[in-house]
Amino acid sequence: MIVFSLSVFLGITNIYLIRNQLADLRDHKNSLNFINNDDKKAMNWLKRNKTGSMIILSDAIYSPILPVFTQSLVYFGLNFIDLATINYGVKANHVINFFFKDTDRQRKEFLKTNNISYLFIGTKNKDTEDYIIWESKKYLQKVYDAGGAKIFKVL
């Protein structure tokens, strides 16, 4: 009975996973599993313009994949038993505060203290308020803007 129940559960789980993958294929532009070509081009720009050991700041959507495409460090990336990002929970809270709670003075200090070189805002962020506000910050210089992806250099 246990084997039968386990088989049914695993079968249903696989059907659920396959259904979600098919849904992602239909709605690939909004899927977290799909990397937009404009985002890839922006990441390639970062790779081509890499200087030393630069550190990139982005949100939870892009941070895990930026190192793969840019061969650069990110402030916070993967959470796999703290093997990929040390103090992941603490850093995740810092990033949330940076994007949603901090004042400009706190943001500028955070970027300086953590040696952040670039801020990456991808196409999946273009419908959010933070997509727009970064252009007015005096401590950032927009160095890339194409197809909805933006990169800001920290001054």
Side-chain angles (χ1 to χ4, degrees), residues 15 24 34 37 65 69 84 87 102 111 125 131 138 145 147 151:
I15 291 170
D24 281 349
F34 176 79
N37 278 333
I65 60 174
F69 287 96
N87 296 323
D102 286 352
L111 294 169
N125 303 119
Y131 180 78
K138 302 221 182 291
D145 185 358
I151 301 170

Side-chain angles (χ1 to χ4, degrees), residues 40-100:
K40 283 186 208 173
K41 289 176 185 175
M43 290 179 208
N44 284 333
W45 184 92
L46 278 168
K47 182 179 177 181
R48 284 191 314 273
N49 292 281
K50 181 179 178 179
T51 56
S53 59
M54 66 184 198
I55 300 173
I56 305 166
L57 177 67
S58 193
D59 64 6
I61 295 172
Y62 294 100
S63 285
I65 60 174
L66 277 164
V68 174
F69 287 96
T70 65
Q71 278 82 55
S72 297
L73 300 173
V74 291
Y75 174 74
F76 109 111
L78 293 174
N79 181 20
F80 184 68
I81 316 170
D82 280 339
L83 293 177
T85 298
I86 297 171
N87 296 323
Y88 178 86
V90 172
K91 288 184 176 183
N93 283 332
H94 289 168
V95 171
I96 289 168
N97 289 339
F98 178 86
F99 280 108
F100 300 109

Side-chain angles (χ1 to χ4, degrees), residues 24-25 27-37 39-40 61-62 65 124:
D24 281 349
L25 288 173
D27 189 25
H28 64 276
K29 291 188 179 190
N30 294 318
S31 168
L32 296 179
N33 296 323
F34 176 79
I35 302 170
N36 183 298
N37 278 333
D39 290 330
K40 283 186 208 173
I61 295 172
Y62 294 100
I65 60 174
K124 292 184 185 349

